[in-house]
Amino acid sequence: MISLLKTDLKRILKDKLFMIALIIAVVLSCTTPLLYKIMPVEGMEEMLGAFGINMTGKSVFFQCFSPSSDAGLIVPILIGIILFKDYSYGTIRNKIIIGKKRSSIYFSSFIATSITICAIILIQAILALLLSLIFFNYQQTPFTGADFGYLMLSVLFEILVYILISALICFLCVWAKNLGLIIVGYVGVSMLFSIIGGVIMGVLFVTDMAGKEINKFLEILSNINIFTSNLIGSGTTYTLENLLYILLPIIFGTAILTALSIILFNKKDIK
Amino acid sequence: MEYVLRTFDVVKKYKNHYALNKVNMNVQKGDIYGFVGENGSGKTTIIRLICGLIAQNEGSFELFGVKYNSSDIHKVREKLGAIVESPSIYANMSAKDNLKMQSVLIGVNSEEKIKEVLEYVGLSELYDSPKKAGDFSLGMRQRLGIAMALIGEPEFIILDEPMNGLDPQGIVEIRELILKLNNEKGITFLISSHILTELALVATKYGIISKGRIIKEITAEELRNECRQSTEIKAENLRALTKAVEGKLDGYEITLVPNGIKIFGEIDLSSVLKLIIDAGVKITSVNSSSFSIEDYYLSIIGGVKND
């Protein structure tokens, strides 16, 4: 397993696409705080506030983490392309021929993908935070020890979100017969969840039917949708309800995708 | 007898099509097993199966005496090296990096070993070369694939159509490499090809497969005998016939066949027949045959030679 993980990490790091993903992430990390800075349109702060977005370092940091951000869409795809090369080059055969278990091969690629995607997104978010701290404060209130704990916990949750995304990418690599399907698959899932999330938020915003049963249901749907949910990093503490909304879809999603991937991979005829 | 590979009634079905239909084959330690069959006969399917890339629907196989579904099968696969269809190499990496990846995977991370295998396959000039494997010629890729298989010091190497697409020089090089590895390191080979004559210079045993079935397993010596020019003479009295030729055909290999004898090699047929007739033996039939390896293969699979 360790040898598999070493080779998977090595081939990802040696691939040009990894460097491209890193460059894109660095460039994108600069755009969000700079856009906030160079477009201080009057009333914009209030307008963003209505959507739960504040011109603070904290807000920028967690926006950069979001799976619906540009990096959240591009980085997993690029890492997925590198991952799929094991199938397209046929090098996955080398691992099976010398007796590596298929489940170990899968877990190794899953861990390598998670590490790489999380590292790039984390670098992007930290750079964005550092840059935004030049222009704005971290938050509107003074930074305390409790804020630090909250920040660390939020980063952990975001990492878990990207582990779920890595599981999705690995599932697509096992399931898809070609690269196009992986790209279309990931963009499709990402868009679908974003659209559903957007529509739900729109409905909730326009109808303002707070308290009604249907609205409660839509709110839950919105909260468990990792592509649009802004529960992570948006407050100062986590309620038990919020923790459930954050963790349950991640744990169930990752478990289901991993189980499906291993079943598929064990049955798959390797070309 | 020590077997490296044995298959027992292996069946692989794709919907209603039988890719393999009760395949039984035996590869002994030290063999260079030539696996011959027309395109689509099931050669690659059985190779994939042995390598663990696909699973059979029925039957079983043993690798180094370990059953395919045993928990030890992963362990014995460490003694296996294979190139299935085309060498599995990272096109975006150099030869050295490809070998490094394979050595990390196997757990023999040594620069010396990499140097040694590159030298062995005649690619030592690539040790320090940044040239990407994607830019290699087919022959170089084939040799790099063998080098990757050699990194783990395998006891059994499977090569699927290794001569495909190679120029005559490349074919000779790969052939010499196979013989060298078999002679010097005692590595057992299973080499598939759709051209029997291509394997004739290296194989010690052949398995002929057609339409998913092994039609014949034959040793190289048996094949040579089958393909030699021979004359079969049958007579009413076998004892008289053998007496007539006894001591008169020195230097020729003669074997008994039902009601007659078979003389191998080129003979002066008229003088041999005169000798027999003069001895008062009544000949019932005379049959001369001269099979080339190709003729033999076609006769086995029931095909027709296109001249």
Side-chain angles (χ1 to χ4, degrees):
Chain A
M1 180 74 172
I2 298 291
S3 59
L4 282 167
L5 189 56
K6 269 188 199 170
T7 53
D8 276 331
L9 282 172
K10 201 169 177 180
R11 76 185 174 89
I12 291 174
L13 298 180
K14 269 193 166 275
D15 204 293
K16 272 183 194 160
L17 282 177
F18 171 77
M19 202 42 81
I20 292 171
L22 202 59
I23 291 167
I24 289 173
V26 169
V27 170
L28 288 174
S29 69
C30 304
T31 53
T32 311
L34 285 178
L35 275 175
Y36 278 10
K37 183 67 191 166
I38 60 173
M39 292 199 302
V41 182
E42 206 172 309
M44 189 181 170
E45 206 165 331
E46 289 75 24
M47 197 180 79
L48 288 171
F51 289 98
I53 301 168
N54 300 309
M55 281 190 183
T56 59
K58 182 181 171 183
S59 178
V60 169
F61 182 64
F62 286 105
Q63 268 184 69
C64 287
F65 252 132
S66 170
S68 58
S69 68
D70 293 335
L73 187 71
I74 296 166
V75 171
I77 288 176
L78 292 177
I79 301 301
I81 294 172
I82 302 174
L83 199 66
F84 192 71
K85 282 183 182 175
D86 224 10
Y87 295 89
S88 57
Y89 288 161
T91 39
I92 199 148
R93 295 191 296 225
N94 293 343
K95 299 171 182 173
I96 297 172
I97 288 167
I98 59 159
K100 301 291 178 192
K101 286 182 187 163
R102 289 194 183 207
S103 52
S104 304
I105 295 171
Y106 174 78
F107 275 117
S108 161
S109 62
F110 174 42
I111 294 169
T113 308
S114 303
I115 291 173
T116 326
I117 292 177
C118 290
I120 296 176
I121 298 289
L122 197 59
I123 289 169
Q124 185 229 194
I126 290 171
L127 280 177
L129 173 65
L130 292 176
L131 195 63
S132 58
L133 285 178
I134 300 171
F135 309 126
F136 324 106
N137 292 325
Y138 173 73
Q139 58 187 22
Q140 280 143 348
T141 53
F143 191 77
T144 62
D147 287 328
F148 180 75
Y150 179 82
L151 176 68
M152 288 297 111
L153 197 58
S154 306
V155 168
L156 174 72
F157 291 155
E158 291 289 10
I159 286 172
L160 291 177
V161 168
Y162 278 96
I163 287 175
L164 170 59
I165 286 174
S166 303
L168 174 62
I169 288 290
C170 289
F171 168 76
L172 290 170
C173 282
V174 170
W175 167 78
K177 286 193 170 72
N178 59 57
L179 194 57
L181 274 177
I182 295 171
I183 298 170
V184 170
Y186 183 69
V187 173
V189 169
S190 168
M191 297 272 275
L192 183 71
F193 276 85
S194 297
I195 289 167
I196 290 171
V199 169
I200 291 171
M201 275 197 268
V203 170
L204 287 169
F205 189 73
V206 171
T207 57
D208 193 21
M209 296 183 293
K212 291 192 177 172
E213 285 304 310
I214 182 79
N215 260 30
K216 191 74 193 154
F217 177 68
L218 288 177
E219 265 178 40
I220 292 171
L221 278 185
S222 176
N223 286 336
I224 62 169
N225 183 345
I226 61 150
F227 283 91
T228 53
S229 167
N230 58 0
L231 289 178
I232 303 172
S234 59
T236 49
T237 52
Y238 287 109
T239 63
L240 184 64
E241 192 186 0
N242 281 355
L243 286 178
L244 287 177
Y245 286 142
I246 293 166
L247 292 175
L248 285 181
I250 293 174
I251 292 166
F252 278 113
T254 308
I256 290 167
L257 285 169
T258 306
L260 276 178
S261 302
I262 290 176
I263 292 167
L264 265 179
F265 190 45
N266 277 332
K267 286 187 175 173
K268 189 174 175 145
D269 284 355
I270 305 292
K271 295 278 174 202
Chain B
M1 241 176 264
E2 198 179 335
Y3 288 100
V4 167
L5 170 72
R6 297 182 84 184
T7 70
F8 308 96
D9 293 330
V10 168
V11 173
K12 178 70 184 174
K13 253 190 332 186
Y14 292 105
K15 290 180 184 166
N16 293 325
H17 166 69
Y18 279 86
L20 298 173
N21 195 353
K22 293 190 181 293
V23 169
N24 292 292
M25 61 191 284
N26 305 286
V27 181
Q28 281 174 45
K29 194 174 165 62
D31 274 349
I32 298 181
Y33 190 100
F35 195 33
V36 194
E38 71 272 21
N39 290 330
S41 57
K43 300 184 298 292
T44 303
T45 307
I46 191 97
I47 286 174
R48 283 181 191 285
L49 210 134
I50 297 160
C51 291
L53 303 174
I54 58 171
Q56 72 270 35
N57 300 99
E58 287 170 37
S60 68
F61 68 89
E62 284 177 7
L63 210 51
F64 295 96
V66 175
K67 219 164 173 205
Y68 76 102
N69 53 0
S70 155
S71 57
D72 290 336
I73 193 75
H74 296 291
K75 192 78 196 149
V76 295
R77 281 194 195 285
E78 289 175 7
K79 299 185 202 173
L80 184 67
I83 300 179
V84 185
E85 279 186 315
S86 56
S88 310
I89 47 181
Y90 292 105
N92 60 337
M93 289 186 196
S94 67
K96 190 179 169 183
D97 282 341
N98 266 289
L99 288 166
K100 264 190 181 168
M101 292 287 278
Q102 189 69 6
S103 57
V104 169
L105 207 55
I106 290 163
V108 227
N109 201 358
S110 134
E111 290 281 325
E112 278 308 304
K113 187 78 199 163
I114 291 171
K115 219 176 226 177
E116 185 193 317
V117 291
L118 276 175
E119 218 162 275
Y120 215 88
V121 298
L123 292 176
S124 50
E125 76 277 7
L126 290 180
Y127 181 73
D128 288 320
S129 167
K131 195 176 175 182
K132 302 276 182 271
D135 299 328
F136 291 178
S137 69
L138 196 59
M140 283 165 84
R141 264 183 280 174
Q142 206 69 267
R143 280 188 281 167
L144 177 59
I146 295 176
M148 285 175 75
L150 284 176
I151 275 274
E153 300 193 337
E155 291 175 30
F156 182 29
I157 294 183
I158 299 173
L159 302 175
D160 186 17
E161 308 259 4
M163 324 284 190
N164 247 7
L166 294 183
D167 55 24
Q169 170 79 14
I171 291 174
V172 171
E173 282 171 8
I174 294 292
R175 209 157 46 203
E176 281 173 359
L177 181 61
I178 291 167
L179 286 170
K180 189 172 151 188
L181 289 166
N182 181 253
N183 290 333
E184 292 178 9
K185 294 185 183 270
I187 296 173
T188 307
F189 279 90
L190 169 68
I191 308 164
S192 79
S193 175
H194 57 277
I195 306 162
L196 181 59
T197 46
E198 202 175 76
L199 294 173
L201 293 170
V202 286
T204 56
K205 191 176 179 182
Y206 300 89
I208 297 170
I209 186 169
S210 180
K211 292 174 186 133
R213 278 177 183 273
I214 295 274
I215 303 174
K216 186 144 189 138
E217 274 193 318
I218 184 169
T219 65
E221 203 184 336
E222 285 168 341
L223 179 67
R224 266 194 299 277
N225 280 339
E226 291 283 353
C227 296
R228 265 195 296 173
Q229 187 176 353
S230 65
T231 309
E232 204 174 270
I233 302 169
K234 289 188 176 177
E236 278 183 351
N237 188 335
L238 179 61
R239 189 182 284 252
L241 175 65
T242 51
K243 204 167 180 190
V245 295
E246 198 176 358
K248 296 186 178 103
L249 289 171
D250 285 345
Y252 289 98
E253 189 188 329
I254 302 171
T255 58
L256 288 176
V257 292
N259 301 320
I261 55 169
K262 195 172 190 177
I263 309 163
F264 290 95
E266 226 170 285
I267 54 165
D268 180 357
L269 186 59
S270 56
S271 31
V272 173
L273 289 179
K274 189 173 180 297
L275 187 79
I276 296 167
I277 292 163
D278 287 351
V281 179
K282 197 170 178 191
I283 295 170
T284 54
S285 72
V286 177
N287 245 319
S288 278
S289 65
S290 169
F291 259 23
S292 68
I293 291 176
E294 217 167 25
D295 291 329
Y296 174 76
Y297 168 65
L298 289 172
S299 74
I300 288 285
I301 65 158
V304 179
K305 190 176 173 183
N306 298 316
D307 284 324

